[in-house]
Amino acid sequence: MPSISKKGTQMPESPIRKLVPYAEDAKKRGVHVFHLNIGQPDIKTPQIALDAVKNNKIETLSYARSEGSEEYRTKLAKYYVKNNINVTADNIITTTGGSEALLFTMGSITDPGDEIIIPEPFYANYNGFSTASGVKVVPVISKIENNFALPKIEDFEKLITPKTKAILICNPGNPSGYLYSEEEIQKLKKMVLKHDLFLIADEVYREFTYDGLKHTSVLSIEGLEENAIVIDSVSKRYSMCGARIGCVVSKNKTFIKTAIKFAQARLSPPTYALIASEAALDTPQSYFDNVTKEYVDRRNTLIKALENIDGIKVAKPKGAFYCVAELPVKDTDHFAQWILESFNDNKQTVMVAPASGFYSTKGEGKNQIRMAYVLNKENLIRSVEILAKALKQYNS
């Protein structure tokens, strides 16, 4: 038969989605599965966004502009200005989710064989996007012992080569929930200016910061105008994962001019989703205040419950809605499959994401899992109870 490409063969499976068949089989056996594996919030989408689609009078569902409608981008720019990010509509390209924003970015700034340095653990699909773009991920490891804080700048600098094109961070972090401080962003600024690199920041969880901490965008830092690129999305902010609307934002005119050619090649983002996303920008601050309070309560509930299990080590998130826990097992890929295939407690089990898929360094994260606290507190408590019983049986 004709051969598959090396790129296709090397494309990694999603640690978040690869266990779905086992979860579906469990459900067919009458087992209820608590999904802690995926960042799909149970928070309601703002009604204003849903109504904008429901009540629209479109008669011909036409293409949108490749960069997204001017109305949406202008309104989105005002949102950024309110968040101390001074951009205009011309600095924004609307994409089909944050995923496409990352692909456009890699396509615009890298050639095959180029390198991007990423603190790990990192969002698992960075591995996939890099593979698809022919880019080499060069990891710099952050540790659970210090809550996954930014590694030392010296650790970054010793990895920089003539092939290095960018540093990529997720802030707040997925899967760690770590929130980089302004001081840490300033350290990265000095490094990328010194070595003439791009600084890409995935900021899709910007709204969700806890304990009185504030988010610092790379686009709010003076002096990074030609270096900073922001990846963003409506998915988590408005609980609109299915809309698939994201964007790439930069003040670097040459980068935007290049990225727009990628946008033209895929024609346009989805029209109805643009309408919903534009309407969502009118969501009142009270919505985010309530959602953030809910996530803080859920985080505290989950962390407290996990810390009561012997042998578990857990990092306390400062943002987003994920945490990484280290389990007393050798291989969480096997454990995560086993708990779906072979274990239930009163016809209930849990689905978690093995953390090895959030690393590119071989062997790292093998005893860790990522858990998304996107369920209500009662279900989180029950999920951890099931996890504790499963660990006891698994290790015996």
Side-chain angles (χ1 to χ4, degrees), residues 26 29-34 339-340 342-351 378-379 381-383 385-387 389-390:
R29 299 193 304 271
V31 176
H32 177 81
V33 178
F34 290 104
I339 200 174
L340 291 169
S342 306
F343 178 85
N344 73 82
D345 183 53
N346 291 326
K347 287 291 185 179
Q348 294 179 326
T349 193
V350 295
M351 187 175 184
E378 180 181 310
N379 286 339
I381 291 170
R382 175 60 181 146
S383 296
E385 181 183 332
I386 294 168
L387 179 66
K389 291 182 178 181

Side-chain angles (χ1 to χ4, degrees), residues 97-364:
S99 300
E100 192 175 67
L102 281 157
L103 286 168
F104 286 0
T105 297
M106 290 186 182
S108 298
I109 70 171
T110 66
D111 291 309
D114 282 343
E115 300 171 354
I116 294 180
I117 299 174
I118 314 177
E120 60 178 359
F122 51 71
Y123 175 46
N125 283 333
Y126 295 164
N127 275 325
F129 301 142
S130 299
T131 301
S133 302
V135 174
K136 180 182 177 182
V137 169
V138 178
V140 54
I141 298 177
S142 57
K143 295 290 187 180
I144 194 171
E145 286 77 17
N146 61 356
N147 225 33
F148 298 110
L150 185 75
K152 294 178 181 179
I153 292 300
E154 294 81 2
D155 293 344
F156 283 91
E157 290 203 301
K158 67 185 180 183
L159 298 173
I160 294 173
T161 74
K163 286 285 191 180
T164 306
K165 298 303 292 285
I167 308 293
L168 169 58
I169 62 171
C170 186
N171 189 34
N174 173 10
S176 67
Y178 186 78
L179 178 70
Y180 294 112
S181 66
E182 182 174 354
E183 180 184 4
E184 288 172 312
I185 300 296
Q186 290 286 357
K187 288 180 180 179
L188 289 171
K189 170 191 170 180
K190 290 179 182 178
M191 181 173 56
V192 299
L193 292 179
K194 176 182 175 182
H195 296 280
D196 198 24
L197 305 175
F198 286 101
L199 178 56
I200 308 166
D202 183 340
E203 298 183 355
V204 305
Y205 299 96
R206 180 184 301 108
E207 259 70 23
F208 309 123
T209 62
Y210 313 131
D211 306 325
L213 299 172
K214 300 294 183 183
H215 177 263
T216 299
S217 173
V218 296
L219 283 172
S220 69
I221 301 296
E222 188 175 345
L224 275 177
E225 289 79 10
E226 297 302 313
N227 303 74
I229 300 170
V230 161
I231 307 299
D232 211 346
S233 170
V234 304
S235 292
K236 315 301 180 176
R237 181 169 302 128
Y238 304 110
S239 197
M240 289 171 58
C241 296
R244 308 313 305 136
I245 291 292
C247 64
V248 59
V249 191
S250 180
K251 297 178 186 179
N252 184 315
K253 293 180 180 179
T254 304
F255 166 75
I256 288 293
K257 187 177 180 180
T258 304
I260 211 158
K261 292 185 284 187
F262 288 86
Q264 290 168 348
R266 67 81 165 95
L267 303 184
S268 68
T271 300
Y272 269 131
L274 273 174
I275 291 168
S277 300
E278 183 178 338
L281 286 165
D282 291 324
T283 302
Q285 182 59 40
S286 58
Y287 173 87
F288 300 107
D289 293 341
N290 291 334
V291 171
T292 298
K293 182 180 183 300
E294 177 65 23
Y295 281 141
V296 169
D297 288 345
R298 291 179 180 189
R299 177 200 65 173
N300 293 345
T301 298
L302 179 62
I303 299 298
K304 182 179 179 181
L306 288 171
E307 288 178 339
N308 285 331
I309 303 176
D310 288 340
I312 282 189
K313 183 187 298 181
V314 60
K316 187 174 183 180
K318 298 179 179 181
F321 40 68
Y322 308 100
C323 76
V324 173
E326 203 165 272
L327 304 185
V329 301
K330 290 182 179 180
D331 185 349
T332 53
D333 283 272
H334 182 270
F335 173 74
Q337 182 175 329
W338 173 86
I339 200 174
L340 291 169
E341 276 191 311
S342 306
F343 178 85
N344 73 82
D345 183 53
N346 291 326
K347 287 291 185 179
Q348 294 179 326
T349 193
V350 295
M351 187 175 184
V352 296
S356 60
F358 296 90
Y359 292 82
S360 62
T361 301
K362 192 172 182 180
E364 288 291 329

